[in-house]
Amino acid sequence: MAQSQQNGAALVDLPVDFRTEPSQYKHWKLSFDGPVATLAMDVKEDGGLRPGYELKLNSYDLGVDIELHDAIQRLRFEHPEIRAVIITSAKERVFCAGANIRMLSQSAHGWKVNFCKFTNETRNGIEEATAESKQTYIAAVNGPCAGGGYELALAADYIVMADDGNTAVSLPEVPLLAVLPGTGGLTRLVDKRLVRRDRADFFCTIEEGIKGKRAVDWRLVDEVVPRTKLSEVARARAEDFAAKSDRPANAKGITLTRLERKIEGDRIAYSSVEAKLDRVKGVAEITIAGPKAPPPADAEGIQAQGDKFWSLALARELDDLILHLRTNEETIGLWIFRTHGDADLVAAYDAVLEQNKSHWLVREIRLFLKRVFKRIDVSSRSIFALIEPGSCFTGTLLELALASDRSYMLDGTFEGDNRPPATLRLTPLNFGAYPMANGLSRLASRNLDNPTHVEDLKARIGEVLDAKAADEAGLVTFTPDDIDWDDEVRIAIEERAAFSPDALTGMEASLRFGGPETMETKIFGRLTAWQNWIFQRPNAVGDQGALKQYGTGQRAAYDRRRV
């Protein structure tokens, strides 16, 4: 269950629910005007997800970001006519003070780390919406913009700021809190906005931030304008970006209805996804059910099915489950993926997604699936795949096996089982539709030693591969027969449970992202590792640490030894 920490004692809270909708928002206001939407932050001070802190100055906690994540999804699926989004503050003379310090100081370590990870994924979603969905985000900074507030602005493609002598951007975490900007601020400064290293060093070590012309000269923002013209200029820039978008002006969006989910003891169930938890062993067995009926023939048919279209329903349900397990089931350290169903039907759904990939809705479904698989990649859990008779690890579902740290595929059948042997099948979607954070497909990432092998595999698209063929193709880790299957799987699970979860987290994260480094891998690799460590250091969280002393008038006492 999720935990927070208050006055030094860990408190068990109700599970966090990531399902929401605009009518339930406490902290954001959505408005629409032609091709431009405005997403205004108006944080309710007493609307925190947990008791014990006030969300003053548009500071945020996980609850605020859950709403932001939902709004971004809905803008992409429900509003194809929206080509640009202005993200701003509905409060006078304050943009956002960042993550709420009281919340951070009273939270358990795992909560802080998961909070930073989710907020980062949400900001990545903003950047992907701009780059891939052609729904460009513009930040209109109408007041002080500090820490996580500036990191939110950094996720936008263009930043326009009020030039009023009061409004500044800042990343004051190092001088004020003895931590780092938690959602990629340092990396986005130098990798995205190309701020010079020496200037970035100065900027990140001052509390008051930088404003006006210097903020533009140093590339911290794109433009400063008089406060009275901020809305006008932001709208003009949004219209400029909107004019370049390929999103359809007259298309009708689909409604993302509330996910139906049942949680009954150790079972979590959706329409196509089910998880059974063994909290003693620390294992979640996640089973994906393939589609039960053929797909629509074209994009119009997909649109007619809306969020009930199997591929989209799968993405939504699996995404919600992963977020639920990450946040509310911290001691479940091993996720085991299984599938069952008709592989031909899975291949048929992939074919429709490939044939209609230029359609705006199909593009969004594919991008959503990409984000879900990437969320699995960066989750600090061990991942196994078990490929057995009746499985349908085909195309999109094969990505789950390719994302796993290990996969076990039964060679043959179980005694007394009348089903045919387990098989795998590649589809075109395995070759770049769902890239990892490193920019490579999972097939390319597992074949860094032999890139031409990936090209060779394209010739096997649609081929039904049994255990021997899948092994020879490099698609699975082990192929035990029915005599060895139970023992090999049992021993693997028991061994995993015996290892240090901390060591496994570091090992898995290091092994999953071979190949080229990107801004995203830097954020999830370098930043997450450093922030994870710094969040446990007494200089930050000790009784005399900066996070504990913030707001008391007392200076933090630092251990001056460098480690």
Side-chain angles (χ1 to χ4, degrees):
M1 305 293 280
Q3 288 189 336
S4 65
Q5 186 172 325
Q6 190 170 9
N7 299 324
L11 302 175
V12 177
D13 299 307
L14 294 174
V16 176
D17 193 343
F18 288 84
R19 299 172 301 168
T20 188
E21 57 188 64
S23 65
Q24 297 178 342
Y25 291 177
K26 297 178 181 178
H27 309 295
W28 292 93
K29 296 177 179 178
L30 260 174
S31 59
F32 305 92
D33 185 4
V36 178
T38 298
L39 187 53
M41 194 177 194
D42 191 12
V43 175
K44 186 178 179 182
E45 291 188 1
D46 62 354
L49 194 62
R50 297 285 183 260
Y53 53 86
E54 291 184 322
L55 298 173
K56 295 183 177 180
L57 300 176
N58 263 358
S59 61
Y60 61 85
D61 67 356
L62 181 61
V64 177
D65 239 58
I66 287 172
E67 293 181 7
L68 175 60
H69 169 256
D70 184 78
I72 295 166
Q73 295 282 69
R74 292 182 186 280
L75 282 166
R76 296 172 78 157
F77 280 95
E78 299 185 351
H79 296 280
E81 79 283 0
I82 294 300
R83 297 178 165 202
V85 181
I86 298 171
I87 191 163
T88 190
S89 168
K91 296 189 185 299
E92 284 292 326
R93 298 188 178 277
V94 60
F95 181 77
C96 175
N100 187 270
I101 306 307
R102 299 298 180 201
M103 176 272 297
L104 289 174
S105 66
Q106 73 181 38
S107 295
H109 174 70
W111 181 273
K112 289 195 284 282
V113 173
N114 270 326
F115 165 68
C116 288
K117 183 171 288 186
F118 178 74
T119 55
N120 225 323
E121 290 167 326
T122 302
R123 280 137 191 76
N124 289 345
I126 290 174
E127 290 170 330
E128 188 200 68
T130 295
E132 303 289 347
S133 299
K134 311 305 178 185
Q135 197 174 65
T136 303
Y137 276 72
I138 300 97
V141 179
N142 61 332
C145 177
Y150 182 45
E151 293 184 273
L152 178 60
L154 284 171
D157 203 53
Y158 194 88
I159 305 173
V160 56
M161 183 171 74
D163 188 9
D164 58 5
N166 177 59
T167 300
V169 292
S170 63
L171 290 177
E173 285 88 347
V174 170
L176 283 181
L177 305 172
V179 297
L180 303 181
T183 44
L186 302 180
T187 304
R188 285 186 170 89
L189 271 185
V190 294
D191 275 61
K192 181 179 181 179
R193 298 202 62 86
L194 305 179
V195 176
R196 241 170 54 189
R197 171 188 161 188
D198 56 339
R199 289 174 170 174
D201 180 277
F202 176 79
F203 174 64
C204 294
T205 54
I206 59 172
E207 299 175 13
E208 64 272 19
I210 291 178
K211 63 186 73 170
K213 183 176 181 297
R214 174 177 277 190
V216 177
D217 292 344
W218 283 22
R219 305 180 64 91
L220 301 170
V221 303
D222 295 287
E223 187 175 4
V224 291
V225 298
R227 167 175 289 279
T228 56
K229 293 188 175 182
L230 181 64
S231 296
E232 173 188 340
V233 171
R235 172 74 192 196
R237 301 296 173 264
E239 289 179 347
D240 290 342
F241 284 113
K244 302 172 186 176
S245 173
D246 66 359
R247 290 177 70 82
N250 300 313
K252 184 178 180 181
I254 64 168
T255 301
L256 299 179
T257 57
R258 184 173 177 83
L259 277 177
E260 294 297 323
R261 182 186 69 191
K262 292 182 180 179
I263 300 179
E264 300 170 335
D266 296 332
R267 179 176 175 268
I268 306 167
Y270 306 80
S271 66
S272 298
V273 179
E274 180 183 65
K276 294 181 179 178
L277 311 183
D278 186 330
R279 294 188 175 90
V280 175
K281 294 181 179 179
V283 174
E285 293 194 14
I286 302 169
T287 302
I288 312 297
K292 296 179 176 61
D298 51 29
E300 286 68 29
I302 294 174
Q303 180 119 14
Q305 288 191 5
D307 66 353
K308 300 302 184 287
F309 177 68
W310 177 78
S311 304
L312 177 54
L314 168 67
R316 296 186 70 207
E317 292 172 6
L318 188 54
D319 198 43
D320 186 74
L321 175 65
I322 297 308
L323 289 171
H324 176 86
L325 291 177
R326 272 190 355 191
T327 305
N328 300 312
E329 298 288 352
E330 292 179 297
T331 62
I332 301 292
L334 173 60
W335 296 344
I336 298 175
F337 281 110
R338 286 186 164 99
T339 63
H340 70 82
D342 188 332
D344 289 337
L345 287 180
V346 178
Y349 274 80
D350 274 16
V352 170
L353 291 179
E354 180 66 11
Q355 292 160 6
N356 297 277
K357 61 184 177 183
S358 61
H359 188 273
W360 77 269
L361 177 57
V362 175
R363 177 171 67 184
E364 291 302 337
I365 293 170
R366 287 165 56 121
L367 289 171
F368 194 175
L369 285 163
K370 180 183 82 167
R371 293 193 298 278
V372 175
F373 294 137
K374 287 167 72 172
R375 202 188 295 281
I376 293 171
D377 291 333
V378 301
S379 293
S380 54
R381 301 295 190 275
S382 298
I383 304 169
F384 289 178
L386 301 184
I387 306 164
E388 304 158 293
S391 295
C392 53
F393 282 100
T394 293
T396 292
L397 293 186
L398 178 57
E399 290 294 310
L400 293 171
L402 298 176
S404 297
D405 301 304
R406 292 184 207 167
S407 54
Y408 294 80
M409 184 172 183
L410 181 69
D411 184 5
T413 60
F414 294 117
E415 185 177 355
D417 190 338
N418 295 324
R419 293 174 299 177
T423 60
L424 298 180
R425 197 182 312 181
L426 294 161
T427 75
L429 298 190
N430 296 121
F431 295 86
Y434 310 125
M436 301 175 67
N438 60 11
L440 302 179
S441 69
R442 286 172 186 80
L443 284 175
S445 289
R446 73 194 284 122
N447 288 284
L448 293 172
D449 64 324
N450 186 10
T452 60
H453 182 58
V454 179
E455 290 301 311
D456 296 338
L457 287 174
K458 288 182 179 179
R460 308 190 74 171
I461 288 175
E463 183 179 343
V464 177
L465 305 174
D466 62 13
K468 181 179 179 181
D471 188 24
E472 291 174 347
L475 298 178
V476 294
T477 314
F478 300 111
T479 57
D481 59 21
D482 66 321
I483 296 174
D484 296 326
W485 177 268
D486 287 342
D487 283 341
E488 283 205 31
V489 171
R490 176 184 55 79
I491 291 170
I493 293 173
E494 291 176 353
E495 283 182 342
R496 210 71 176 188
F499 297 139
S500 160
D502 302 323
L504 285 174
T505 294
M507 181 190 79
E508 292 153 1
S510 297
L511 298 179
R512 287 177 187 173
F513 300 100
E517 190 165 46
T518 65
M519 186 177 75
E520 198 169 338
T521 61
K522 289 179 183 179
I523 289 170
F524 281 114
R526 297 178 185 180
L527 170 69
T528 301
W530 281 110
Q531 188 74 299
N532 203 340
W533 178 68
I534 292 167
F535 264 146
Q536 298 183 78
R537 297 286 293 163
N539 287 336
V541 299
D543 290 339
Q544 300 302 312
L547 267 175
K548 295 291 187 182
Q549 294 300 321
Y550 180 79
T552 67
Q554 302 295 315
R555 294 182 63 86
Y558 293 145
D559 180 344
R560 295 294 171 182
R561 292 173 294 179
R562 291 271 187 138
V563 179

